[in-house]
Each structure stands twice: as structure tokens, then as C-alpha cells.
Amino acid sequence: MTVSHILGYPRIGAQRELKKATEAYWKGEMDRESLEASARELRSRHWQAQHSAGLDWVTVGDFAFYDQVLNVSTLLGAVPQRFAADSEVAQGDIDLDTTFRMARGRAPSGTPAAACEMTKYFDTNYHYLVPELHQGQRFQLATQRLFDEVAEAQQLGYNVKVTLTGPLTWLWLGKEKGQAFERLSLLEGVLDVYCEILTRLAGQGVEWVQLDEPALVQDLPLAWQQAYERAYHRLQAAPLKLMVATYFGALGDNLSLATRLPVAGLHVDAVRAPEQLDHVIDRLGPHQVLSVGAVDGRNIWRADLAALRERLLPVRVRLGSRLWLAPSCSLLHVPVDLDAETELDSELTQWLAFARQKLDEVVSLSRLLDNRPTAEDEARLAAATRALDARRDSARTHRQAVKERLAAIQPGDSERRSVYAERAVAQRRKLALPLFPTTTIGSFPQTQDIRAARRAYKAGELSREAYEARMREEIAYTIERQDALGLDVPVHGEAERNDMVEYFGEQLDGFAFTRFGWVQSYGSRCVKPPIIYGDVTRPQPMTVRWSEYAQSLTDKPMKGMLTGPVTILQWSFVRDDQSRATTCRQIALTLRDEVNSLEAAGIGVIQIDEPALREGLPLRQGQWQDYLDWAVDCFKLSAAGVRDETQIHTHMCYSEFNDIIAAIAALDADVITIETSRSDMELLDAFQDFAYPNEIGPGVYDIHTPNIPDVEWMVQLMEKALEKIPAERLWVNPDCGLKTRGWAEVEPALANMVQAAEVLRRRH
Ligand code: GLN
Ligand code: ZN
């Protein structure tokens, strides 16, 4: 019989219970016992959901108070010195507060220390804590939590399968600290502890352990490929069965490596890479189990059970009881329960499946394949087919006008009328800005008061008129402050925006919003991505009234503010019935209209933010160029409808440009503002080496800290920038938007920044 399981379940809880509990604990409003009790309660609820859906295994080990990669770091005793946890490690009992200090620098107990670095997990919006590795590092089993959780599930009577990040992916995600050395030199020490863990689990009666090795879908150096063989030859000695889980893409050139590993089972992603299924089966050992990731773990669409049954029947015939079924990856990346969405319209609801619904899909599919469907499975199959047919033909999904407009795009539509050098002349004449013009990235403090007004408006307690009047008041204040500070290119401050994607999604057709569709982003932080379900249109201008109003209050050239097409795409759940590129192009056309409307309304400077451009890069380098080509084209399509004298800005808040600098230049934005202050302007090297031709605003201060930057320090940073970029092409601005700061920090910081620009003007 086909075995059904999942790789992991969301841990935050349908009502974000874990978020609320951990935050209350951090604030001292909840004690340790109660925090542990809420965690236990959530685990048991999630196991219960898996069990009652009919899965053959209940997956244990996916729970984390903060992050599952951090869990493995503590399991291995990889706790940096500054957290002073040596005795806890030695006793094999790392305290929960130590884990929290590693994650966020502080906890209710213990001395604060710099938190570990955090970064995105593969191509997801989930962030993990980067393991800190140093030469000669020793490892030892340093927490009992995993074993306790296993015992907990067993006591509740469940059939337990354990999941854990695999040893090589853990090392792969880590970063060397101190003296340079080869990370793989730590492998043997890491494996010693994994062997111990596996032996302990076997002692608890665990039969299967799933080791997550998504690093196998990336380009691996030869030494790493060899390390995989070595590592799993060692681990096979463990007295239980191992399943190596790969996801987020195709195994590609690691396919024969993965199928050769001496493990009892392999999980592959058949959603992102359906074409690899037959190749994997051809190479599978005669006794190996294949877990097919058939239900999309990264998106919220209802599975096409009929199509899956047809596709997988031959696989079922070939593999017999060696076939397992699962979602493609952990369900961590989708919201918890669609049933909570009582306000989503019923048609759209029919098209969707969240984590809890995906459990049912996996179970029904396995019974359908075994030819022993229950009446419920049959009904589910029929309902899925009905819903998918409806979705395929729905007028909400397809709009003829959008398709026609897309088909009519000409290559020239993505190009400005003149080259940058000519535009720069026209812009200088029109805008008459001084050397080293000063500006900000867009947002000004989102005060409690602004948020309260928006909440009241959304709750129907504040009329639209009153709300908008309140926002205008805020905009007026922001303009007045900027004028007083002497900023050359003011912004309206984005007071009216809840979130840079949601704000646009709410005004575009083809987008839907959930009430509880939260997905963990990092720690207790969750995001609620919009759902792009249909062809995208802009029923009316989205930002024009606000920018127009702001412009009416000042003689300075106002900068209009838009979120770019790639960022809107990247931070949403997207359609699975057309390419990402097509959806992105549709969004780009609506933004093009918005850019043109802003220009027509007299806004001469327009910024199109693309902070997510880089994170859209595919996991395999070989696919980068294709992505960059359409991503860049979408940006240009939004920007290129304007006259030469209209200045297009873009903004990106990260500091790795080396490998994408050609694409950044290809955007052909007149001005790009970037995050640089923390890297001491070093990242401008990439721009210099590439002979980047347009204007750049390298951030002169870090907005993530409340510290007020001093004038001399910012002047010095700009002097460094001047060694690489000529004065005529430099702007002066902060690293990113100011929405998380208070006015008490923003005003003196910007006053100093303006002074720094004045010093520079005198000198150059
Ligand atoms: N314009 C946005 C702001 O200033 C940009 C935010 C971002 O880069 N993430 O907040
Ligand atoms: Zn930014």
C-alpha cells in the first residue's frame, strides 16, 4: 500500500499561537512553563491533524521555537563562544534562552550578545539562522529536546517518523568564522553526533528518519558531492532507516549521486521538477523507497487529483509498496488552514488548499492509487476536478484584454526614448538639483497613531473621509519636515501604506487577500502574502492622488513611490497555470500605467522599488540568465513609458551586486539607491569595475539601528564613494526606508545627512 506522509507542518499555529506565546515570553508576560505548555499543545494538535487525516506517519522534529536549522546547531552543540553556554553544552542541556539569544541577541535570562546572522532559506521567504563554523570546531550532542518530542508523540500513541536537517545541508548553510578553512573538514565531527542521534532515536523505537538535504538541488562542488557519499556511508550503520529528502527543484547533475546513496528512501520534488521522476525511478535501488512530492508545498492551489492519479498510476505499478506520497516540501511555506478563511469568496476558496487541506490531498491520492478510495476520496477527487475546471475557464482568471495587451508588447516598449547620457541632460535642466542631491528611500515613521487610524478605518470605526484626511495631515507634516531639513527630493512618506506589496495588490484586480494566511518568515515574524489568481489589471490610479497632494505642498520635485513588478511577484503566492514571467509582465503593465499617470500628474521623479529582485534568482546558476532577462525586462517595461526629463529611480536593499551587476545596469534606471553603509562603500567596487554608467545613491547610514550618524562619518563614506564614482553621479541618502524609526531619530539623522552633503558640495 502507498505510504502517505509529510515532510513537515507549519509550527506557528492557525491563529499564530506560537508567535503570541513566544513574544509574550520574551516580554516577560508569560513564564517558561506556560510557553512550553503552549508549544506542546501546538505539537499535539498538529500531530493530531496528520493522524486524523489518515497519514501513515506523524512527523516529529519539525517543531522549533525559532528555526529548524538553529535546532540542529544546538543539537550539535554549535553554540558560539559569546553566548557563554559551555557548561550547558557540556551537560548536553542547552537552555531555551540560549537558543533565543543566538536567534535575537537577547532573552529573558542571560547576557545579551550579537545575534547570529540570518538569511533566506534557499529560494523561500523563510529565514534561518546561519550556523557559525570555525576551524577545529568540536561537536557534541547538546540538547535532549528532539528525543523528548519523540517520546511526547509516542506517548500520544502516534507512529513517529523523525525529520532533521541533514548533516551536509547543515554544513552547506553554515559560514566559516575567523581564519579561513575548509568547512568540510568539520564533517567527521558532525557525523559523530548524527550517529549518536540516530542511535538514540533507534533506541526509542524510531524506524524512519528523514534527513533534509535540499542542498542536493543546487550546484555542488565535486568535494561536496563526494562528501555526500562518504557521509551517508557512515550514517548507514545506524540501526534505523534513513530517507534523504530533496526539494525546491530538480536533482539535475546530482541525480545519480542521490540515487546511489546507501539509504532506505529518497524524497524528490515532483512539483518543481516533474520530469525527473522517471529518471529517478530508473536508478532507484531494488529495495529503496521513493517518496514522491506530488502536492505543492510552496503554493496554495488545490491539487489536480485526477491528473496526479493518472500520472502516478504507472509509478505505483512499478514501485508497488515502495511508493510513498507527500507534499513536495515541508508545509512550513504555506498557511495553515483554509477553513479559517470565512471571508474569502466561495469560488476562489474552491481553488485553494492550505497545509491542513494538503494532508487530505496526500491521503486521498494514495488511496486512489491503491484503488481503495473511500467515498470521501471520490468526492474529493470530483470536487477538485470541478474546481479546477471552473478555475481554468473562469472569467476571473482570464481577461482577454490583458492577454491582447501582453501579446502586443514590442521590444521597444521596454526602452526609454533616449540613452541615459541624453536623459541626464534633460533631467538636469528640468530638476535643477545641486551636486550630491539628498533624498530618502520613501517611507517616514509609521507611528502608532497612523497604524491606529488604519485599524479603525478597516474596522469601519473611522470613515474613509476621516481616514484620508488623517493621512493627508501626515503627508503634509512629512513634507514640512523635509522642507525644513532642506532635502532636495522629498517623498510623501508612505503613511497610507500598510505594506509595500499589499498596498498595491489591494488596488489591482487579480489579487486576493486572506485573513489568516500567515506564513512564518523568521522567528515569531509572519507574513501574509497576497494570492495572485487572475490576469492583473489596474482599475484606477493607485498612488497619484497622494503624490499629487504632496507635490502641491512643496516647490521641490516630489518623488513618486511604487513597488516594482518583480517584488510584487516575489512576495505573493502566484498562479501555477502560467509562467512567473507572464504574471510579472502583467503586473509590469499596470505599473507602467501608474508611472505614466504620475508623470501626467506632474510628478517628475518616480522610484520603482525592487528589493526582491535578487532573491528571485533560481537555485541553479544555469537558470539565472533566463530569470534576469525577464525580470529586467519587466522592470523596464514599467519604467520606459515616460519622457526623457522624467527621472526613474530604483531601490534595492542588499549588498551583493557582484554577480548581477550586468542586470542591474541593464535596468537602466536613472538613479539607483542601495544599501552600503555597513559595507563601508566596498560594494561600489562592483559598480566601478563594471563602469556602471548611471547615477547611484549609496546609503550613508544604517536605518536598522536607532543611532544618529554623525556628519563627519557620512562625509568620509561619501569620500570613499568618490574614489569610485564621479561626483556628478552621486546621491546622498539613507540605506533604506525610515518606517521603523521614530521622528526623534529621523530628524537629527537627516539633518546631519543634509549637512554632510553641504560639506561635500563645498569640497568638490
Ligand atoms: N520605499 C520603501 C520604503 O522606503 C522601500 C522599502 C524596501 O526597500 N524594502 O519603505
Ligand atoms: Zn530598502
Side-chain angles (χ1 to χ4, degrees), residues 418-723:
S418 310
V419 296
Y420 164 75
E422 287 170 35
R423 301 196 306 263
V425 174
Q427 289 164 21
R428 226 164 269 144
R429 198 179 311 123
K430 161 112 187 285
L431 300 171
L433 294 169
L435 209 54
F436 302 108
T438 53
T439 190
T440 62
I441 306 306
S443 58
F444 269 84
Q446 275 272 334
T447 57
Q448 282 307 322
D449 194 51
I450 296 176
R451 288 178 212 270
R454 183 152 40 248
R455 263 197 309 275
Y457 168 52
K458 293 221 161 158
E461 293 153 13
L462 194 65
S463 72
R464 186 187 177 100
E465 293 69 38
Y467 171 70
E468 296 201 344
R470 175 68 194 84
M471 292 302 115
R472 273 197 302 277
E473 203 179 288
E474 192 63 34
I475 291 170
Y477 178 73
T478 305
I479 297 289
E480 188 190 296
R481 296 329 306 149
Q482 292 174 88
D483 273 347
L485 285 160
L487 284 156
D488 300 306
V489 178
V491 296
H492 77 290
E494 303 179 28
E496 80 290 4
R497 302 188 188 176
N498 34 4
D499 167 277
M500 62 185 292
V501 169
E502 193 171 342
Y503 180 74
F504 289 91
E506 279 175 349
Q507 301 186 74
L508 290 167
D509 275 347
F511 282 72
F513 292 84
T514 61
R515 274 191 71 197
F516 303 104
W518 298 101
V519 179
Q520 188 178 9
S521 172
Y522 61 87
S524 67
R525 199 183 145 94
C526 302
V527 295
K528 197 152 62 69
I531 295 171
I532 306 179
Y533 63 84
D535 288 340
V536 181
T537 58
R538 180 191 76 143
Q540 56 198 12
M542 302 180 279
T543 65
V544 177
R545 324 179 271 137
W546 303 110
S547 291
E548 221 174 2
Y549 171 67
Q551 183 66 84
S552 76
L553 303 173
T554 175
D555 296 331
K556 301 268 177 69
M558 180 68 205
K559 180 161 70 169
M561 197 57 56
L562 305 173
T563 302
V566 184
T567 298
I568 292 181
L569 179 87
Q570 197 59 32
W571 292 349
S572 303
F573 284 116
V574 298
R575 294 169 66 166
D576 60 353
D577 60 345
Q578 68 185 20
S579 70
R580 294 174 76 79
T582 301
T583 303
C584 196
R585 217 159 261 134
Q586 293 183 355
I587 302 168
L589 287 174
T590 65
L591 290 168
R592 180 185 181 90
D593 294 343
E594 185 71 12
V595 167
N596 294 348
S597 302
L598 281 168
E599 181 186 60
I603 306 300
V605 183
I606 301 162
Q607 178 170 307
I608 306 171
D609 287 324
E610 283 292 22
L613 183 83
R614 194 189 160 88
E615 69 186 56
L617 283 171
L619 291 170
R620 293 276 191 174
Q621 294 243 5
Q623 290 155 14
W624 279 26
Q625 199 51 51
D626 176 58
Y627 161 75
L628 288 170
D629 285 348
W630 62 253
V632 165
D633 190 61
C634 286
F635 176 89
K636 291 170 72 179
L637 198 54
S638 348
V642 292
R643 293 190 297 269
D644 285 355
E645 71 217 41
T646 298
Q647 188 170 65
I648 298 289
H649 288 222
T650 188
H651 166 71
M652 290 169 199
C653 29
Y654 41 79
S655 47
E656 297 150 82
F657 287 97
N658 272 308
D659 46 2
I660 55 164
I661 187 72
I664 300 297
L667 295 174
D668 196 24
D670 297 303
V671 183
I672 181 172
T673 55
I674 51 181
E675 171 181 323
T676 31
S677 73
R678 280 184 293 184
S679 66
D680 208 27
M681 296 287 153
E682 262 167 33
L683 85 121
L684 285 181
D685 291 347
F687 288 80
Q688 183 188 22
D689 294 345
F690 191 79
Y692 182 82
N694 304 6
E695 292 159 53
I696 310 178
V700 291
Y701 80 87
D702 180 9
I703 56 88
H704 299 98
T705 84
N707 305 341
I708 311 298
D710 66 71
V711 179
E712 193 41 41
W713 184 69
M714 288 186 279
V715 169
Q716 240 144 55
L717 277 178
M718 286 302 292
E719 291 289 1
K720 281 197 187 130
L722 277 158
E723 292 165 16

Side-chain angles (χ1 to χ4, degrees), residues 211-225:
L211 292 173
D212 285 26
E213 293 284 10
L216 282 167
V217 308
Q218 290 200 284
D219 300 315
L220 290 179
L222 183 63
W224 283 80
Q225 293 176 327

